[in-house]
């Protein structure tokens, strides 16, 4: 830095405005690239007692200078956060925002709330807020800001696609976690979620599980040091069955206990072929459950680490674990068992009593018990999903669908849902259609709303040049249980809603004629007809039987040459007549 530059900087600093706890270098055109360049700024910061705000708009601040300025600010305990105006004004497009290890609390979240809602964050991929003391209030503010960012980004054609979310050690608890879960369910693009040590119990864990189920790209779930208990573990296990990209599961110190561990083991055994790390340490897991977990990883060839340390196994079971894994040629993946708590009896009654005691403690603290919902139930309009979300928005409906929420969206619900659905993504279109159809009722207002919303969505999808209609119908048939998939796919719990919606769709002009033969084959073909007949008969769902026949008839009207009512469909017709 030349002497004339130092002189210029000194002159600029002399113009620095000081007042009300604010140190301002706004609009001074300083070029602060290196640590040496920032030396005088740091001096001003260090000498300023009671610093609450630092303004650097209208200056150039390089990475090296920013680091030393940030270091100086660490000692200013009264500093208040206010971010965004300059970034927004400059038209910045953020990819990563990391404010970790700043104890700004709920008020601090308000300091960058406007930034999160602005176009500067439409491109955000990584949000890191570890150890910031946000609390429940901060979690709710953050969740609302993310939802608003998502809504605005879609309206501008720049859909928010957040990939990594980090918010460990923030005391979010159940309410904060539930609010964020609602935002996660709307965003749908998460790949990593790190929320360790947040005081979250099973109601919050269950809400997160529901949200994770609609984030199919998830690779890393880190919820270390929260309190699952059996209910939370079972809910999370159901979600894991629906995820295909999972690489890291960290549920260490989460009190999943034996029953929860067995449920997670079942999920691992059924799929998760990309799994690299499974951490169930310090979870009060006992002998048989631990062995079940070990047996579940037999074909997980990508697995690098299995952590079962700090559980209640005993020396004999520890040896058995080694033997099982050696038999799979996977002995190297087992982590240390040096902190094993020793052998304890697999006393289910004792475990149940502990669960009941913890439930009572939650109730005494005012935490209401929530029903443990599975991904299936998310799609089922009959499931009770307690979501405090007045007024209702599109995102809330899609995350937790119900007939009442659809109607409360108002007359523009069909347009709004279509606008907020990425029709280039076949899986999202199918998921959205299933959620819409899941709330179908014979009530005129609900029926009309479902039909109009499905029409708007599918008309937009089918009119797009990039939409793969064949992939759509295949994906839909798989989720209906009429077509087998190599991967484990959860089918809808009730065919009634989607059949009624299809019955309407096939009669519309936007529905491609090229799909008619495919639907005809699967609705009327003998083999698939039997599958459908069995699904309907097993639930004594005469409405679905009736709808299947109607749908078959309507498909036939649209493409008569393709229409042959098989014996299997006639069985359904007989069910209707009965």
């Amino acid at each position: 830095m030349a002497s004339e530059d130092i002189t210029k900087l000194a002159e600029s600093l002399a113009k620095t405005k000081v007042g009300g706890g604010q140190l301002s270098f706004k609009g001074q055109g300083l070029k602060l690239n290196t640590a040496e360049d920032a030396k005088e700024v740091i001096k001003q910061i260090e000498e300023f007692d009671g610093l609450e705000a630092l303004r650097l708009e209208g200056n150039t601040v390089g990475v090296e200078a920013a680091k030393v300025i940030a270091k100086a600010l660490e000692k200013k305990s009264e500093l208040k956060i206010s971010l965004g105006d300059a970034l927004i004004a400059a038209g910045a497009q953020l990819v990563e925002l990391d404010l970790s290890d700043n104890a700004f609390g709920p008020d601090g979240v308000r300091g960058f709330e406007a930034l999160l809602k602005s176009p500067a964050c439409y491109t955000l991929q990584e949000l890191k807020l570890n150890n910031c003391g946000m609390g429940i209030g901060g979690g709710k503010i953050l969740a609302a800001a993310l939802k608003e960012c998502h809504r605005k980004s879609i309206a501008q054609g720049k859909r928010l696609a957040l990939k990594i979310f980090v918010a460990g050690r923030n005391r979010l608890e159940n309410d904060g976690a539930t609010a964020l879960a609602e935002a996660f369910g709307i965003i749908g693009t998460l790949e990593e979620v790190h929320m360790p040590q947040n005081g979250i119990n099973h109601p919050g864990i269950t809400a997160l599980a529901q949200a994770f189920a609609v984030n199919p790209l998830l690779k890393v779930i880190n919820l270390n040091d929260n309190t699952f208990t059996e209910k939370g573990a079972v809910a999370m296990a159901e979600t894991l069955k629906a995820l295909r990209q999972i690489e890291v599961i960290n549920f260490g110190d989460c009190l999943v206990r034996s029953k929860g561990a067995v449920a997670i083991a079942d999920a691992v055994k059924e799929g998760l072929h990309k799994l690299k790390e499974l951490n169930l340490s310090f979870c009060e897991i006992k002998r048989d459950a631990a062995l079940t977990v070990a047996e579940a990883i037999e074909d997980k060839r990508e697995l690098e680490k299995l952590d079962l340390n700090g559980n209640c196994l005993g020396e004999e079971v520890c040896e058995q674990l080694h033997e099982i894994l050696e038999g799979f040629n996977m002995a190297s993946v087992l982590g240390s068992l040096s902190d094993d708590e020793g052998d304890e009896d697999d006393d289910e009654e004792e475990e149940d009593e502990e669960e009941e005691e913890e439930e009572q403690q939650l109730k005494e603290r005012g935490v209401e018990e929530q029903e443990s919902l599975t991904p299936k139930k998310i799609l089922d309009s009959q499931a009770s999903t307690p979501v405090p979300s007045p007024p209702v928005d599109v995102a809330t409906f899609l995350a937790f669908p119900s007939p009442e929420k659809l109607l409360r969206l108002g007359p523009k619900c069909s347009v709004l849902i279509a606008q907020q659905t990425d029709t280039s993504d076949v899986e999202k279109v199918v998921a959205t259609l299933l959620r819409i159809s899941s709330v179908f009722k014979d009530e005129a207002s609900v029926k009309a709303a479902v039909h109009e919303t499905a029409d708007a969505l599918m008309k937009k999808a089918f009119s797009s040049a990039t939409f793969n209609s064949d992939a759509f119908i295949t994906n839909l048939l798989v989720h209906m249980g009429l077509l087998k998939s190599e991967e484990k796919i959860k089918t809808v719990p009730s065919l009634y809603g989607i059949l009624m919606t299809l019955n309407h769709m096939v009669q519309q002009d936007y529905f491609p004629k090229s799909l008619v033969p495919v639907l005809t084959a699967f609705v009327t073909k003998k083999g698939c007809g039997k599958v459908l007949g069995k699904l309907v008969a097993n639930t004594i769902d005469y409405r679905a039987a009736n709808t299947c026949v109607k749908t078959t008839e309507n498909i036939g009207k649209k493409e008569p040459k393709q229409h042959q009512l098989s014996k299997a469909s006639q069985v359904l017709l007989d069910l209707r007549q009965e």
Side-chain angles (χ1 to χ4, degrees), residues 151-428:
R151 184 187 68 78
K152 287 182 174 180
S153 69
I154 290 175
Q156 294 296 317
K158 301 176 181 178
R159 186 187 185 93
L160 173 66
L162 188 66
K163 295 181 179 179
I164 298 175
F165 180 83
V166 180
R169 300 184 65 188
N170 273 290
R171 296 304 306 176
L172 295 169
E173 301 185 17
N174 291 322
D175 289 348
T178 299
L180 285 167
E182 199 171 312
F184 296 161
I186 293 160
I187 293 168
T189 55
L190 289 168
E191 295 181 13
E192 296 185 20
V193 176
H194 303 263
M195 295 174 66
Q197 202 172 340
N198 269 296
I200 307 171
N201 300 114
H202 78 77
I205 297 298
T206 298
L208 288 171
Q210 294 171 21
F212 294 165
V214 289
N215 280 267
L217 301 178
L218 263 177
K219 297 179 182 178
V220 178
I221 302 177
N222 176 7
L223 295 174
N224 190 286
D225 198 8
N226 289 290
T227 308
F228 281 44
T229 64
E230 180 190 343
K231 290 183 179 180
V234 168
M236 194 61 70
E238 284 297 319
T239 284
L240 290 175
K241 292 177 183 178
L243 299 175
R244 308 172 203 169
Q245 306 300 324
I246 290 292
E247 295 179 3
V248 176
I249 298 171
N250 186 345
F251 297 160
D253 204 11
C254 283
L255 204 66
V256 303
R257 294 202 173 105
S258 294
K259 291 181 181 178
V262 170
I264 292 169
D266 289 343
V268 171
K269 189 172 184 176
E270 287 186 22
L272 305 186
H273 296 293
K274 296 183 179 181
L275 188 63
K276 294 181 179 179
E277 181 179 334
L278 175 59
N279 185 346
L280 294 175
S281 60
F282 299 93
C283 282
E284 293 192 6
I285 299 170
K286 298 178 183 177
R287 298 173 306 185
D288 293 344
L291 295 175
T292 300
V293 171
E295 290 166 354
I297 67 169
E298 179 178 3
D299 62 345
K300 305 299 175 279
R301 295 305 166 190
E302 299 291 322
L303 194 70
E304 298 172 1
K305 184 177 181 181
L306 171 63
D307 193 345
L308 291 171
N309 198 19
N311 287 298
C312 311
L313 309 181
E315 186 176 342
E316 182 180 342
V317 174
C318 289
E319 291 177 1
Q320 284 181 273
L321 287 174
H322 282 288
E323 290 173 3
I324 289 172
L325 294 175
E326 283 176 358
F328 300 156
N329 196 26
M330 298 174 69
S332 61
V333 306
L334 184 62
S336 170
L337 298 173
S338 60
D339 293 319
D340 183 61
E341 295 289 336
D343 186 10
E344 288 187 15
D345 292 334
D346 286 320
D347 191 337
E348 291 190 8
E349 288 187 9
E350 182 182 339
E351 196 166 287
D352 290 340
E353 286 175 5
E354 290 175 348
E355 295 270 348
E356 288 175 8
E357 286 179 12
E358 282 150 10
E359 269 317 317
Q360 187 59 38
Q361 289 172 4
L362 284 176
K363 289 178 181 179
E364 289 173 358
R365 287 164 48 198
V367 179
E368 293 296 326
E369 181 177 354
Q370 288 180 273
E371 180 184 2
S372 181
L373 300 179
T374 67
K376 282 184 179 180
K377 291 181 181 177
I378 295 173
L379 299 177
D380 187 356
S381 63
Q382 303 304 315
S384 174
T385 51
V387 182
S389 55
V392 171
D393 57 17
V394 170
T396 300
F397 167 74
L398 290 177
F400 308 99
S402 73
E404 293 74 20
K405 290 190 184 77
L406 183 62
L407 293 177
R408 284 167 61 192
L409 283 171
K412 294 184 178 180
C413 64
S414 58
V415 175
L416 293 172
I417 290 176
Q419 285 178 343
Q420 295 192 31
T421 302
D422 181 5
T423 52
S424 65
D425 188 329
V426 168
E427 287 197 7
K428 286 197 173 181

Side-chain angles (χ1 to χ4, degrees), residues 92-117:
Q93 293 186 325
L94 299 180
V95 175
E96 178 180 356
L97 180 59
D98 188 348
L99 299 174
S100 297
D101 300 313
N102 288 289
F104 48 67
D107 290 339
V109 182
R110 291 203 181 279
F112 60 90
E113 180 182 12
L115 174 62
L116 280 178
K117 295 179 179 179

Side-chain angles (χ1 to χ4, degrees), residues 14-64:
K15 300 174 185 177
T16 297
K17 296 178 182 178
V18 177
Q22 180 182 115
L23 179 61
S24 176
F25 301 97
K26 182 178 179 180
Q28 295 185 17
L30 303 177
K31 297 186 183 299
L32 309 175
N33 294 313
T34 67
E36 183 66 23
D37 295 343
K39 193 172 181 180
E40 289 296 327
V41 174
I42 293 169
K43 181 181 177 183
Q44 291 274 348
I45 293 171
E46 290 175 343
E47 292 177 352
F48 195 113
D49 292 330
L51 181 63
E52 294 182 354
L54 173 67
R55 302 192 67 170
L56 290 170
E57 303 101 309
N59 299 287
T60 301
V61 183
V63 174
E64 186 180 336

Side-chain angles (χ1 to χ4, degrees), residues 502-521:
L502 277 175
N503 178 53
H504 168 79
M505 285 168 49
V506 297
Q507 301 176 66
Q508 309 308 309
D509 292 337
Y510 65 73
F511 195 84
K513 287 188 176 181
S514 61
L515 298 184
V516 172
V518 180
L519 272 181
T520 302

Side-chain angles (χ1 to χ4, degrees), residues 468-479:
N468 189 329
S469 298
D470 292 334
F472 163 77
I473 204 68
T474 300
N475 196 298
L476 180 62
L477 289 168
V478 168
H479 280 84

